[in-house]
C-alpha cells in the first residue's frame, strides 16, 4: 500500500515541476504553440492522474482500516540482501566504468555479484568473469570497433 | 499476366548467385544486429553504406533491406529470451514471449515468431506486388492532423495492453510523453529539461530506456526473490519438442492472419505506422480472446499476432519508398541514400525506368524471409540452450550486455548512468504496480505526436477544430474517445449496481 501511495505521489510531484517549468518555456507565442505547450499538457495530466490515484489509495486504505479497526500497522519489509548487493554493484558499475575502464569495472561487478550475491565459488567466479570479459572485448571492441574506456589500464 | 511477368523478372534478379549471397549476408547481419543491444539497423546501414558504392544498385538495396527486416526478427530473440526489447516494436513481444520462456516454452515462442513473421512477410510482399502503388498513394495523404489522431489512438490502445489498471497505464503514457520532451524542441530548437547537460540535449535514447526498464529492472526484480525462483523452467531437449505443437499452431493461426492485415496497412503509413502495428495487433488479440486474462502470462497469441504485424509492417514500409520516394524512417532514408548514390531516384518512375531493381527488391524480400526461417529455426536450439545457464550466472551477463550496449550507442558514459537509472526506476515502478510497456511506447511516439500536433495547430492558427474537420482524423479521434469512455461507463454501471445490491 505504501508503494501505491508513494509511486503516484512522486509522479504527481514530477508533473507539477514539469508544468511549472513548461510555463516558463512559453506555451503560446505570437499565435504559435511554444516549446512549453506539450510538456504543460502532459505534466498537468500527470498531476491530475497522480493526485487522483493518491486520493483513491487513501480512501481505500481508510475504508479498510475502518472495517478492520484494531488491525496492526503495515509491516515494513527489509530490502533483501541479494537485492542490496545488486543495487550497490549497479551504481558502482556506472561510477567506475569510465574511471577504471571496461575490463576492471566489469571484473569488479561480476565478482561482487557472483561471490557476494549469488554465492558462486571463488574460482568458478574468476573463470566466468575472465571468459565473459574476453568474449565481450572480442565482440564489441575488435569486431564492432566500440572504443571502450581504458581507465587505469590505458 | 503482366504481374507474373514482373515477378518472373524479379526472381531472376533475386535468385542470381551474387544477390542470394548479399541477401544471406543482409539477413544474417540484420539478425545479429537485432540481437545485440545498442547497435540498431540505422547505425549498421550507415557503416555499410560505403561498401555499397561498388555494388550493383539492386544488390545494394537487397543487402540493406535484408539487414532491416533481419533486425526485426533479431529484436524478438532478446525480447523472448532476456526480456530486453531490441526496438520499440519488440516491447510487446516481451509481455508474453518472455513469460513463455520462463515457463519452458522459449522454443515455441521463437518458432512462432519465426514462422509467423515468414507467413506475414510473404503475404505482405504479395499485397505489395498487387496493390502497392494504390495503397501508397492513399497512405501519403495523411497530414499532420491524421498523424496526431492516429498516434492518440495508438496511445489509447497502449493503455489496454498492460495488465496494470487503466489509471496506472494512463500515468505511464503521460510520463513517457513528458520524457520524450527532454532535449531540443523539434520545431523551435529550444532546450527543454536538459539541466545544462550536453548529453541530455540529444534527448534520451529509446534503446537505453528499454534496456533499463526491461532488462536491468528484471534482473533487480529477480534479485529480490529467492534464488530458486529466478531460474527458468527446464526447456525441452529436442528441436521437435522445442517448436510450437499442434495446439499452439491452431491458436496462433488467427492472430498471424489478423496481424498480417493490421501490420500491412499500418506499415504503409510513413513515420509512425510500423511502431503501432505490433501493439495494435496485441490489443486486438486480447480483445478477441475468450481468455484475455492469459495475456501477459505467456499467451502464444500475444507473440504470434504482434510478430506477424511487425514483419508485415516492415515489408510494407518499403512501398512508400519505392513507389513515391518517401522513406518511412531513418533506416529507409539511408537505403534511399544508397539508391541516390547510384544515380537512381526512387519514386513513381522507378517501376518504369528500372523494373529490374523494383521487382528484384520485391522478390528478394520473399527470398530473404525464406532465408530468415532457414537460418533461425535450426538456431532455436542454440538460443534456448542459453537459458540452461543458471540465472545466477546469466544475471551479471545481462547487466554487462545492457551497460556495454548503452555505452556503444554514443561512446558516452552518460548512457551508462541512464540505463542503470532506468533499471532502478523500472524496478520501483514494478513495486508500485506500474507497467513499463506503456511508458516506452508513449516515449517512442512522443516526438511524432508533438511535431504533428503543433504543425496541425499552425495550419489552423491554433484551432483544434482541424482534428474533427478532416474525416480520417475525426474517425480516429472518435474511436479513441469511445475506447476510453465505454469501459469507464461500464465500470461505473457495475459499481452502481454493486452498491444497489448492498
Amino acid at each position: 500500500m505504501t508503494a501505491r501511495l508513494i509511486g503516484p505521489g512522486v509522479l504527481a510531484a514530477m508533473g507539477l515541476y514539469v508544468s511549472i517549468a513548461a510555463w516558463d518555456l512559453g506555451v503560446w507565442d505570437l499565435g504559435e504553440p511554444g516549446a512549453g505547450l506539450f510538456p504543460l499538457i502532459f505534466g498537468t495530466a500527470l498531476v491530475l492522474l497522480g493526485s487522483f490515484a493518491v486520493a483513491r489509495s487513501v480512501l481505500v486504505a481508510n475504508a479498510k482500516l475502518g472495517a478492520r479497526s484494531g488491525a496492526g500497522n503495515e509491516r515494513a519489509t527489509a530490502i533483501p540482501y541479494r537485492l542490496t548487493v545488486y543495487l550497490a554493484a549497479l551504481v558502482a558499475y556506472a561510477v567506475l566504468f569510465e574511471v577504471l575502464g571496461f575490463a576492471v569495472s566489469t571484473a569488479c561487478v561480476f565478482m561482487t555479484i557472483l561471490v557476494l550475491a549469488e554465492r558462486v565459488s571463488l574460482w568458478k567466479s574468476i573463470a566466468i568473469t575472465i571468459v565473459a570479459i574476453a568474449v565481450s572485448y572480442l565482440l564489441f571492441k575488435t569486431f564492432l570497433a566500440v572504443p571502450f574506456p581504458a581507465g587505469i589500464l590505458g | 499476366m503482366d504481374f507474373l511477368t514482373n515477378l518472373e523478372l524479379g526472381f531472376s534478379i533475386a535468385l542470381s548467385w551474387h544477390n542470394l549471397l548479399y541477401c544471406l549476408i543482409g539477413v544474417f547481419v540484420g539478425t545479429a544486429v537485432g540481437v545485440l543491444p545498442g547497435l540498431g539497423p540505422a547505425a549498421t546501414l550507415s557503416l555499410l553504406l560505403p561498401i555499397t558504392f561498388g555494388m550493383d544498385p539492386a544488390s545494394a538495396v537487397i543487402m540493406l533491406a535484408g539487414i532491416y527486416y533481419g533486425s526485426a526478427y533479431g529484436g524478438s530473440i532478446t525480447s523472448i529470451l532476456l526480456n530486453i526489447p531490441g526496438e520499440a516494436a519488440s516491447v510487446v513481444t516481451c509481455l508474453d514471449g518472455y513469460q513463455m520462456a520462463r515457463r519452458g516454452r522459449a522454443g515455441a515462442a521463437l518458432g512462432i515468431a519465426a514462422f509467423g513473421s515468414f507467413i506475414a512477410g510473404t503475404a505482405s510482399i504479395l499485397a505489395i506486388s498487387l496493390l502497392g502503388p494504390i495503397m501508397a498513394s492513399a497512405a501519403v495523404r495523411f497530414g499532420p492532423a491524421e498523424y496526431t489522431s492516429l498516434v492518440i489512438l495508438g496511445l489509447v490502445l497502449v493503455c489496454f495492453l498492460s495488465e496494470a489498471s487503466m489509471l496506472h497505464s494512463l500515468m505511464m503514457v503521460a510520463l513517457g510523453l513528458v520524457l520524450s520532451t527532454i532535449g531540443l524542441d523539434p520545431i523551435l530548437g529550444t532546450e527543454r529539461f536538459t539541466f545544462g547537460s550536453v548529453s541530455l540535449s540529444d534527448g534520451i535514447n529509446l534503446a537505453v530506456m528499454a534496456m533499463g526498464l526491461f532488462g536491468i529492472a528484471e534482473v533487480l526484480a529477480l534479485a529480490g526473490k529467492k534464488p530458486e525462483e529466478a531460474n527458468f523452467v527446464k526447456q525441452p531437449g529436442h528441436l521437435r519438442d522445442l517448436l510450437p505443437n499442434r495446439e499452439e499452431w491452431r491458436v496462433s493461426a488467427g492472430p498471424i492472419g489478423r496481424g498480417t492485415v493490421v501490420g500491412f496497412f499500418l506499415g504503409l503509413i510513413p513515420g509512425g505506422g510500423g511502431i503501432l502495428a505490433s501493439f495494435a495487433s496485441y490489443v486486438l488479440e486480447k480483445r478477441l480472446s475468450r481468455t484475455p486474462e492469459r495475456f501477459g502470462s505467456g499467451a502464444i497469441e500475444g507473440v504470434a499476432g504482434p510478430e506477424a504485424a511487425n514483419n508485415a509492417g516492415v515489408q510494407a514500409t518499403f512501398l512508400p519508398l519505392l513507389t513515391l520516394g518517401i522513406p518511412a524512417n531513418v533506416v529507409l532514408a539511408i537505403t534511399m541514400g544508397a539508391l541516390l548514390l547510384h544515380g537512381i531516384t526512387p519514386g513513381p518512375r522507378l517501376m518504369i525506368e528500372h523494373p529490374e531493381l523494383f521487382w528484384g527488391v520485391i522478390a528478394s524480400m520473399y527470398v530473404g524471409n525464406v532465408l530468415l526461417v532457414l537460418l533461425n529455426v535450426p538456431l532455436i536450439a542454440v538460443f534456448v540452450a542459453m537459458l540452461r545457464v543458471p540465472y545466477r550466472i546469466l544475471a551479471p551477463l545481462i547487466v554487462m550486455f545492457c551497460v556495454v550496449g548503452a555505452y556503444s550507442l554514443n561512446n558516452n558514459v552518460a548512457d551508462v548512468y541512464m540505463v542503470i537509472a532506468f533499471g532502478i526506476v523500472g524496478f520501483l515502478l514494478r513495486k508500485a504496480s506500474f507497467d513499463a510497456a506503456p511508458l516506452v511506447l508513449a516515449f517512442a511516439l512522443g516526438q511524432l505526436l508533438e511535431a504533428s500536433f503543433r504543425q496541425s495547430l499552425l495550419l489552423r492558427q491554433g484551432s483544434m477544430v482541424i482534428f474533427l474537420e478532416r474525416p480520417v482524423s475525426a474517425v480516429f479521434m472518435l474511436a479513441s474517445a469511445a475506447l476510453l469512455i465505454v469501459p469507464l461507463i461500464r465500470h461505473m454501471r457495475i459499481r452502481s449496481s454493486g452498491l444497489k445490491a448492498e
Side-chain angles (χ1 to χ4, degrees), chain B residues 440-493:
Chain B
V440 173
L441 291 166
F443 177 83
L445 292 169
Q447 288 222 334
L448 173 64
L449 176 63
E450 181 176 10
S452 50
F453 178 66
R454 287 166 68 179
Q455 282 165 6
S456 304
L457 292 181
L458 282 169
L459 283 170
R460 285 293 260 132
Q461 289 83 42
S463 169
M464 301 271 274
V465 164
I466 187 172
F467 300 113
L468 296 172
E469 266 179 354
R470 296 174 69 97
V472 173
S473 172
V475 166
F476 288 149
M477 284 299 212
L478 289 170
S480 306
L483 280 170
L484 281 174
I485 291 168
V486 167
L488 186 65
I489 294 172
R490 205 180 289 153
H491 176 71
M492 285 165 69
R493 276 195 188 152

Side-chain angles (χ1 to χ4, degrees), chain A residues 3-4 14 17 21 28 32 35 38 42 49 53 82-83 86 90 95 97-98 102 110 114 118 136 140 147 149, chain B residues 171 177 185 192-193 195 220 222-223 225 392 395-396 399-400 404 407 411 413 417 420 427 432-433 450 458 462:
Chain A
R4 290 188 184 189
M14 193 187 297
Y17 167 77
W28 202 265
E32 290 178 4
F38 202 71
F42 290 102
L49 292 166
R82 278 174 70 236
L83 179 60
Y86 269 90
L90 283 173
V95 170
F97 190 77
E98 208 167 43
F102 161 71
F110 261 66
L114 288 171
E118 302 295 352
S136 303
F140 285 96
Chain B
M171 278 195 272
L177 292 169
D185 178 291
R192 297 184 298 192
F193 310 111
F195 308 105
L220 289 173
L222 291 174
K225 296 183 180 174
R392 58 189 186 150
V399 168
M400 181 187 68
V404 168
Y407 182 79
N411 305 325
V413 76
Y417 279 105
I420 286 170
F427 170 68
S433 305
E450 181 176 10
L458 282 169

Side-chain angles (χ1 to χ4, degrees), chain A residues 49-68:
Chain A
L49 292 166
S51 306
F52 181 74
V54 168
R56 195 173 74 166
S57 295
V58 167
L59 285 170
V60 166
N62 286 342
K64 281 185 180 165
L65 273 175
R68 297 183 290 127

